[in-house]
Amino acid sequence: MGCSTAPRTPTPPPRAAAAPHTLILYAILDRDVRLAHVGNTTQPTAASTVVSAGRPVGTVQPLPSVVSDKHQAALVDAEKLYASHEYAGALAALESAYRDEPTNPFVLEAYGRVLYRQRERTRAFGVYRALVDLLDAEWAGDAGNAVTIDLWFVDAYWKVGTLHMDRAEWKRAAFEISRALAGGFMWQPLAVDQALSYLAKAYAEMDRRDVARYYAERALERNPRNTFVRRYIDPLSRDSTQPMPAQK
């Protein structure tokens, strides 16, 4: 686990450069960031609210070989079913584990992921919110005002952030999506594109047009074909009927 120090006074959002090198995470800019379950760090500072593209801070520690004494076999079966797109079967395999171990983060993650894929978004929100709150409580000990990001569960921050978007809880959505991006060296380009699009919308809804424009420019920097974010740069291109990017 590592700590980092970030600039304390946010400056006006800079215009996006021609080539993406850094990404400022405004939702957590005034707080230190700590990473849980990171190993083999390549630099003294393990995390920052200014993320360098393509520069990993280390590797993620391996997951435990056994994550449930009672339901390990069910978790393995559910993962195989999920990989085969047999989501109903995966959900059925996890029901008993979820009832028996509602505070096991690995059970919560597996159960929430299937619900999310099944588009049971209300139930998925409850599970993912419980998981993220559990992780925050686990690492809260000496964190003070620091933001802790558990790299074993980065996808949970992303998923719960998108579900906060559904509920028009823009500030919380921006915070959780920013936490996911802070573990960005594990992300695929498509996921980053979606996350930047969501941040642009969230800040626009919070009437932070400067920050919304910044994230829109960053999204176009990475994907010039991203038409969704153009509304936050050119008011004439806004179209309320244009759908949000697909959530993964």
Side-chain angles (χ1 to χ4, degrees):
M1 183 182 300
C3 287
S4 70
T5 305
R8 292 299 181 227
T9 304
T11 56
R15 298 295 293 264
H21 295 297
T22 60
L23 176 65
I24 300 173
L25 301 175
Y26 283 91
I28 55 178
L29 187 62
D30 61 343
R31 300 170 68 176
D32 293 338
V33 178
R34 309 195 321 167
L35 300 181
H37 297 123
V38 65
N40 300 320
T41 56
T42 57
Q43 55 191 29
T45 299
S48 176
T49 52
V50 180
V51 179
S52 297
R55 296 180 183 177
V57 298
T59 58
V60 181
Q61 293 174 349
L63 294 173
S65 57
V66 176
V67 297
S68 171
D69 291 335
K70 186 176 180 181
H71 296 284
Q72 181 68 20
L75 287 166
V76 172
D77 289 344
E79 179 64 27
K80 292 178 180 177
L81 290 165
Y82 185 94
S84 300
H85 308 290
E86 299 178 48
Y87 304 122
L91 192 63
L94 291 167
E95 292 288 358
S96 179
Y98 178 67
R99 288 195 302 270
D100 289 349
E101 300 182 9
T103 59
N104 182 329
F106 297 100
V107 171
L108 288 172
E109 194 279 333
Y111 194 65
R113 184 172 56 149
V114 178
L115 289 171
Y116 191 96
R117 178 61 71 173
Q118 290 281 76
R119 300 186 182 277
E120 295 192 37
R121 300 181 75 79
T122 299
R123 292 176 65 193
F125 176 80
V127 174
Y128 273 120
R129 191 66 259 167
L131 170 57
V132 172
D133 289 344
L134 182 71
L135 297 174
D136 285 344
E138 177 180 359
W139 297 108
D142 60 349
N145 191 44
V147 177
T148 300
I149 301 163
D150 192 322
L151 296 184
W152 283 352
F153 300 99
V154 168
D155 189 60
Y157 302 117
W158 163 244
K159 293 281 180 35
V160 80
T162 67
L163 294 169
H164 278 294
M165 294 285 292
D166 288 353
R167 300 158 71 92
E169 296 168 348
W170 311 116
K171 185 175 182 180
R172 194 62 195 241
F175 176 77
E176 300 298 359
I177 292 171
S178 294
R179 283 212 277 188
L181 282 169
F185 59 88
M186 297 186 297
W187 280 56
Q188 298 298 319
L190 177 60
V192 175
D193 186 39
Q194 291 176 339
L196 293 174
S197 299
Y198 279 52
L199 288 175
K201 178 175 176 59
Y203 278 102
E205 294 290 347
M206 290 188 282
D207 202 28
R208 287 297 310 276
R209 300 288 172 175
D210 53 345
V211 181
R213 181 186 180 93
Y214 170 73
Y215 284 119
E217 289 180 335
R218 284 308 195 211
L220 287 172
E221 206 175 61
R222 288 163 170 76
N223 177 16
R225 297 182 179 179
N226 184 336
T227 58
F228 171 81
V229 298
R230 291 191 181 278
R231 71 185 74 180
Y232 305 114
I233 296 175
D234 178 7
L236 296 178
S237 69
R238 293 177 186 172
D239 178 1
S240 60
T241 65
Q242 189 175 9
M244 293 276 289
Q247 299 169 2
K248 299 296 182 180

PDB file of all heavy atoms in Angstrom, residues 51-75:
ATOM      1  N   VAL A  51      -2.970  10.902 -13.185  1.00  0.00           N
ATOM      2  CA  VAL A  51      -2.628   9.560 -13.652  1.00  0.00           C
ATOM      3  C   VAL A  51      -1.827   9.650 -14.930  1.00  0.00           C
ATOM      4  O   VAL A  51      -2.237  10.327 -15.879  1.00  0.00           O
ATOM      5  CB  VAL A  51      -3.910   8.726 -13.887  1.00  0.00           C
ATOM      6  CG1 VAL A  51      -3.545   7.342 -14.393  1.00  0.00           C
ATOM      7  CG2 VAL A  51      -4.712   8.634 -12.602  1.00  0.00           C
ATOM      8  N   SER A  52      -0.695   8.980 -14.969  1.00  0.00           N
ATOM      9  CA  SER A  52       0.129   8.950 -16.166  1.00  0.00           C
ATOM     10  C   SER A  52      -0.291   7.796 -17.060  1.00  0.00           C
ATOM     11  O   SER A  52      -0.328   6.647 -16.617  1.00  0.00           O
ATOM     12  CB  SER A  52       1.612   8.786 -15.784  1.00  0.00           C
ATOM     13  OG  SER A  52       2.053   9.893 -15.032  1.00  0.00           O
ATOM     14  N   ALA A  53      -0.591   8.120 -18.295  1.00  0.00           N
ATOM     15  CA  ALA A  53      -1.056   7.096 -19.226  1.00  0.00           C
ATOM     16  C   ALA A  53       0.062   6.119 -19.551  1.00  0.00           C
ATOM     17  O   ALA A  53       1.172   6.511 -19.894  1.00  0.00           O
ATOM     18  CB  ALA A  53      -1.552   7.745 -20.503  1.00  0.00           C
ATOM     19  N   GLY A  54      -0.228   4.833 -19.436  1.00  0.00           N
ATOM     20  CA  GLY A  54       0.714   3.813 -19.837  1.00  0.00           C
ATOM     21  C   GLY A  54       1.902   3.647 -18.916  1.00  0.00           C
ATOM     22  O   GLY A  54       2.888   3.016 -19.272  1.00  0.00           O
ATOM     23  N   ARG A  55       1.824   4.176 -17.684  1.00  0.00           N
ATOM     24  CA  ARG A  55       2.939   4.055 -16.751  1.00  0.00           C
ATOM     25  C   ARG A  55       2.461   3.381 -15.472  1.00  0.00           C
ATOM     26  O   ARG A  55       2.073   4.040 -14.516  1.00  0.00           O
ATOM     27  CB  ARG A  55       3.525   5.436 -16.434  1.00  0.00           C
ATOM     28  CG  ARG A  55       4.136   6.115 -17.641  1.00  0.00           C
ATOM     29  CD  ARG A  55       4.706   7.466 -17.277  1.00  0.00           C
ATOM     30  NE  ARG A  55       5.236   8.143 -18.445  1.00  0.00           N
ATOM     31  CZ  ARG A  55       5.751   9.366 -18.418  1.00  0.00           C
ATOM     32  NH1 ARG A  55       5.799  10.038 -17.274  1.00  0.00           N
ATOM     33  NH2 ARG A  55       6.199   9.921 -19.516  1.00  0.00           N
ATOM     34  N   PRO A  56       2.453   2.056 -15.443  1.00  0.00           N
ATOM     35  CA  PRO A  56       1.950   1.349 -14.262  1.00  0.00           C
ATOM     36  C   PRO A  56       2.807   1.626 -13.037  1.00  0.00           C
ATOM     37  O   PRO A  56       4.016   1.797 -13.140  1.00  0.00           O
ATOM     38  CB  PRO A  56       2.030  -0.128 -14.677  1.00  0.00           C
ATOM     39  CG  PRO A  56       3.049  -0.175 -15.760  1.00  0.00           C
ATOM     40  CD  PRO A  56       2.920   1.137 -16.488  1.00  0.00           C
ATOM     41  N   VAL A  57       2.154   1.697 -11.873  1.00  0.00           N
ATOM     42  CA  VAL A  57       2.888   1.914 -10.637  1.00  0.00           C
ATOM     43  C   VAL A  57       3.373   0.602 -10.038  1.00  0.00           C
ATOM     44  O   VAL A  57       4.166   0.606  -9.103  1.00  0.00           O
ATOM     45  CB  VAL A  57       2.010   2.653  -9.610  1.00  0.00           C
ATOM     46  CG1 VAL A  57       1.628   4.018 -10.128  1.00  0.00           C
ATOM     47  CG2 VAL A  57       0.773   1.847  -9.264  1.00  0.00           C
ATOM     48  N   GLY A  58       2.899  -0.496 -10.536  1.00  0.00           N
ATOM     49  CA  GLY A  58       3.296  -1.784 -10.006  1.00  0.00           C
ATOM     50  C   GLY A  58       2.397  -2.868 -10.560  1.00  0.00           C
ATOM     51  O   GLY A  58       1.721  -2.683 -11.564  1.00  0.00           O
ATOM     52  N   THR A  59       2.376  -3.999  -9.899  1.00  0.00           N
ATOM     53  CA  THR A  59       1.526  -5.101 -10.311  1.00  0.00           C
ATOM     54  C   THR A  59       0.496  -5.374  -9.223  1.00  0.00           C
ATOM     55  O   THR A  59       0.691  -5.016  -8.063  1.00  0.00           O
ATOM     56  CB  THR A  59       2.354  -6.374 -10.552  1.00  0.00           C
ATOM     57  OG1 THR A  59       3.067  -6.695  -9.343  1.00  0.00           O
ATOM     58  CG2 THR A  59       3.351  -6.163 -11.682  1.00  0.00           C
ATOM     59  N   VAL A  60      -0.582  -6.000  -9.609  1.00  0.00           N
ATOM     60  CA  VAL A  60      -1.610  -6.361  -8.639  1.00  0.00           C
ATOM     61  C   VAL A  60      -1.226  -7.679  -7.988  1.00  0.00           C
ATOM     62  O   VAL A  60      -0.855  -8.640  -8.665  1.00  0.00           O
ATOM     63  CB  VAL A  60      -2.981  -6.482  -9.328  1.00  0.00           C
ATOM     64  CG1 VAL A  60      -4.055  -6.824  -8.305  1.00  0.00           C
ATOM     65  CG2 VAL A  60      -3.328  -5.197 -10.056  1.00  0.00           C
ATOM     66  N   GLN A  61      -1.308  -7.723  -6.670  1.00  0.00           N
ATOM     67  CA  GLN A  61      -0.987  -8.956  -5.967  1.00  0.00           C
ATOM     68  C   GLN A  61      -1.955 -10.061  -6.396  1.00  0.00           C
ATOM     69  O   GLN A  61      -3.131  -9.794  -6.671  1.00  0.00           O
ATOM     70  CB  GLN A  61      -1.082  -8.735  -4.461  1.00  0.00           C
ATOM     71  CG  GLN A  61      -0.031  -7.790  -3.914  1.00  0.00           C
ATOM     72  CD  GLN A  61      -0.232  -7.475  -2.441  1.00  0.00           C
ATOM     73  OE1 GLN A  61      -1.264  -7.794  -1.865  1.00  0.00           O
ATOM     74  NE2 GLN A  61       0.754  -6.835  -1.844  1.00  0.00           N
ATOM     75  N   PRO A  62      -1.482 -11.308  -6.456  1.00  0.00           N
ATOM     76  CA  PRO A  62      -2.356 -12.414  -6.871  1.00  0.00           C
ATOM     77  C   PRO A  62      -3.528 -12.589  -5.910  1.00  0.00           C
ATOM     78  O   PRO A  62      -3.401 -12.363  -4.697  1.00  0.00           O
ATOM     79  CB  PRO A  62      -1.424 -13.635  -6.827  1.00  0.00           C
ATOM     80  CG  PRO A  62      -0.043 -13.075  -6.865  1.00  0.00           C
ATOM     81  CD  PRO A  62      -0.104 -11.744  -6.194  1.00  0.00           C
ATOM     82  N   LEU A  63      -4.665 -12.973  -6.454  1.00  0.00           N
ATOM     83  CA  LEU A  63      -5.820 -13.281  -5.618  1.00  0.00           C
ATOM     84  C   LEU A  63      -5.544 -14.533  -4.791  1.00  0.00           C
ATOM     85  O   LEU A  63      -4.757 -15.403  -5.199  1.00  0.00           O
ATOM     86  CB  LEU A  63      -7.055 -13.517  -6.485  1.00  0.00           C
ATOM     87  CG  LEU A  63      -7.594 -12.315  -7.264  1.00  0.00           C
ATOM     88  CD1 LEU A  63      -8.704 -12.774  -8.198  1.00  0.00           C
ATOM     89  CD2 LEU A  63      -8.092 -11.249  -6.320  1.00  0.00           C
ATOM     90  N   PRO A  64      -6.168 -14.677  -3.628  1.00  0.00           N
ATOM     91  CA  PRO A  64      -6.030 -15.917  -2.854  1.00  0.00           C
ATOM     92  C   PRO A  64      -6.514 -17.109  -3.674  1.00  0.00           C
ATOM     93  O   PRO A  64      -7.444 -16.988  -4.474  1.00  0.00           O
ATOM     94  CB  PRO A  64      -6.925 -15.679  -1.635  1.00  0.00           C
ATOM     95  CG  PRO A  64      -7.101 -14.189  -1.550  1.00  0.00           C
ATOM     96  CD  PRO A  64      -7.050 -13.682  -2.964  1.00  0.00           C
ATOM     97  N   SER A  65      -5.891 -18.241  -3.479  1.00  0.00           N
ATOM     98  CA  SER A  65      -6.315 -19.431  -4.219  1.00  0.00           C
ATOM     99  C   SER A  65      -7.686 -19.910  -3.755  1.00  0.00           C
ATOM    100  O   SER A  65      -8.442 -20.509  -4.526  1.00  0.00           O
ATOM    101  CB  SER A  65      -5.286 -20.553  -4.053  1.00  0.00           C
ATOM    102  OG  SER A  65      -5.093 -20.844  -2.674  1.00  0.00           O
ATOM    103  N   VAL A  66      -8.013 -19.670  -2.506  1.00  0.00           N
ATOM    104  CA  VAL A  66      -9.331 -20.014  -1.955  1.00  0.00           C
ATOM    105  C   VAL A  66      -9.931 -18.749  -1.366  1.00  0.00           C
ATOM    106  O   VAL A  66      -9.318 -18.109  -0.507  1.00  0.00           O
ATOM    107  CB  VAL A  66      -9.229 -21.102  -0.872  1.00  0.00           C
ATOM    108  CG1 VAL A  66     -10.593 -21.363  -0.249  1.00  0.00           C
ATOM    109  CG2 VAL A  66      -8.657 -22.386  -1.465  1.00  0.00           C
ATOM    110  N   VAL A  67     -11.111 -18.361  -1.830  1.00  0.00           N
ATOM    111  CA  VAL A  67     -11.742 -17.127  -1.350  1.00  0.00           C
ATOM    112  C   VAL A  67     -12.991 -17.396  -0.518  1.00  0.00           C
ATOM    113  O   VAL A  67     -13.586 -16.469   0.014  1.00  0.00           O
ATOM    114  CB  VAL A  67     -12.084 -16.194  -2.534  1.00  0.00           C
ATOM    115  CG1 VAL A  67     -10.822 -15.761  -3.252  1.00  0.00           C
ATOM    116  CG2 VAL A  67     -13.061 -16.856  -3.499  1.00  0.00           C
ATOM    117  N   SER A  68     -13.379 -18.670  -0.425  1.00  0.00           N
ATOM    118  CA  SER A  68     -14.522 -19.047   0.408  1.00  0.00           C
ATOM    119  C   SER A  68     -14.323 -20.479   0.884  1.00  0.00           C
ATOM    120  O   SER A  68     -14.203 -21.393   0.063  1.00  0.00           O
ATOM    121  CB  SER A  68     -15.836 -18.934  -0.374  1.00  0.00           C
ATOM    122  OG  SER A  68     -16.913 -19.484   0.370  1.00  0.00           O
ATOM    123  N   ASP A  69     -14.302 -20.665   2.201  1.00  0.00           N
ATOM    124  CA  ASP A  69     -14.112 -22.014   2.745  1.00  0.00           C
ATOM    125  C   ASP A  69     -15.310 -22.910   2.438  1.00  0.00           C
ATOM    126  O   ASP A  69     -15.161 -24.120   2.262  1.00  0.00           O
ATOM    127  CB  ASP A  69     -13.912 -21.940   4.262  1.00  0.00           C
ATOM    128  CG  ASP A  69     -12.588 -21.294   4.639  1.00  0.00           C
ATOM    129  OD1 ASP A  69     -11.657 -21.350   3.806  1.00  0.00           O
ATOM    130  OD2 ASP A  69     -12.496 -20.736   5.754  1.00  0.00           O
ATOM    131  N   LYS A  70     -16.493 -22.332   2.356  1.00  0.00           N
ATOM    132  CA  LYS A  70     -17.705 -23.124   2.205  1.00  0.00           C
ATOM    133  C   LYS A  70     -18.207 -23.193   0.778  1.00  0.00           C
ATOM    134  O   LYS A  70     -18.804 -24.196   0.365  1.00  0.00           O
ATOM    135  CB  LYS A  70     -18.801 -22.534   3.115  1.00  0.00           C
ATOM    136  CG  LYS A  70     -20.074 -23.360   3.165  1.00  0.00           C
ATOM    137  CD  LYS A  70     -21.064 -22.754   4.162  1.00  0.00           C
ATOM    138  CE  LYS A  70     -22.353 -23.575   4.215  1.00  0.00           C
ATOM    139  NZ  LYS A  70     -23.338 -22.974   5.167  1.00  0.00           N
ATOM    140  N   HIS A  71     -17.965 -22.147  -0.013  1.00  0.00           N
ATOM    141  CA  HIS A  71     -18.589 -22.058  -1.336  1.00  0.00           C
ATOM    142  C   HIS A  71     -17.578 -21.873  -2.465  1.00  0.00           C
ATOM    143  O   HIS A  71     -17.920 -21.343  -3.518  1.00  0.00           O
ATOM    144  CB  HIS A  71     -19.593 -20.893  -1.361  1.00  0.00           C
ATOM    145  CG  HIS A  71     -20.743 -21.072  -0.430  1.00  0.00           C
ATOM    146  ND1 HIS A  71     -21.795 -21.929  -0.686  1.00  0.00           N
ATOM    147  CD2 HIS A  71     -21.008 -20.511   0.777  1.00  0.00           C
ATOM    148  CE1 HIS A  71     -22.664 -21.883   0.303  1.00  0.00           C
ATOM    149  NE2 HIS A  71     -22.214 -21.027   1.210  1.00  0.00           N
ATOM    150  N   GLN A  72     -16.363 -22.324  -2.265  1.00  0.00           N
ATOM    151  CA  GLN A  72     -15.342 -22.164  -3.295  1.00  0.00           C
ATOM    152  C   GLN A  72     -15.748 -22.838  -4.605  1.00  0.00           C
ATOM    153  O   GLN A  72     -15.586 -22.265  -5.690  1.00  0.00           O
ATOM    154  CB  GLN A  72     -14.000 -22.735  -2.815  1.00  0.00           C
ATOM    155  CG  GLN A  72     -12.856 -22.606  -3.799  1.00  0.00           C
ATOM    156  CD  GLN A  72     -12.422 -21.169  -4.023  1.00  0.00           C
ATOM    157  OE1 GLN A  72     -12.708 -20.301  -3.197  1.00  0.00           O
ATOM    158  NE2 GLN A  72     -11.745 -20.913  -5.117  1.00  0.00           N
ATOM    159  N   ALA A  73     -16.279 -24.051  -4.516  1.00  0.00           N
ATOM    160  CA  ALA A  73     -16.671 -24.777  -5.725  1.00  0.00           C
ATOM    161  C   ALA A  73     -17.769 -24.027  -6.479  1.00  0.00           C
ATOM    162  O   ALA A  73     -17.744 -23.943  -7.719  1.00  0.00           O
ATOM    163  CB  ALA A  73     -17.140 -26.188  -5.366  1.00  0.00           C
ATOM    164  N   ALA A  74     -18.709 -23.450  -5.756  1.00  0.00           N
ATOM    165  CA  ALA A  74     -19.787 -22.707  -6.402  1.00  0.00           C
ATOM    166  C   ALA A  74     -19.248 -21.464  -7.097  1.00  0.00           C
ATOM    167  O   ALA A  74     -19.695 -21.122  -8.206  1.00  0.00           O
ATOM    168  CB  ALA A  74     -20.842 -22.311  -5.368  1.00  0.00           C
ATOM    169  N   LEU A  75     -18.278 -20.793  -6.491  1.00  0.00           N
ATOM    170  CA  LEU A  75     -17.678 -19.614  -7.110  1.00  0.00           C
ATOM    171  C   LEU A  75     -16.933 -19.985  -8.390  1.00  0.00           C
ATOM    172  O   LEU A  75     -17.007 -19.276  -9.393  1.00  0.00           O
ATOM    173  CB  LEU A  75     -16.733 -18.926  -6.123  1.00  0.00           C
ATOM    174  CG  LEU A  75     -17.409 -18.165  -4.981  1.00  0.00           C
ATOM    175  CD1 LEU A  75     -16.398 -17.829  -3.894  1.00  0.00           C
ATOM    176  CD2 LEU A  75     -18.068 -16.894  -5.488  1.00  0.00           C
TER     177      LEU A  75
END
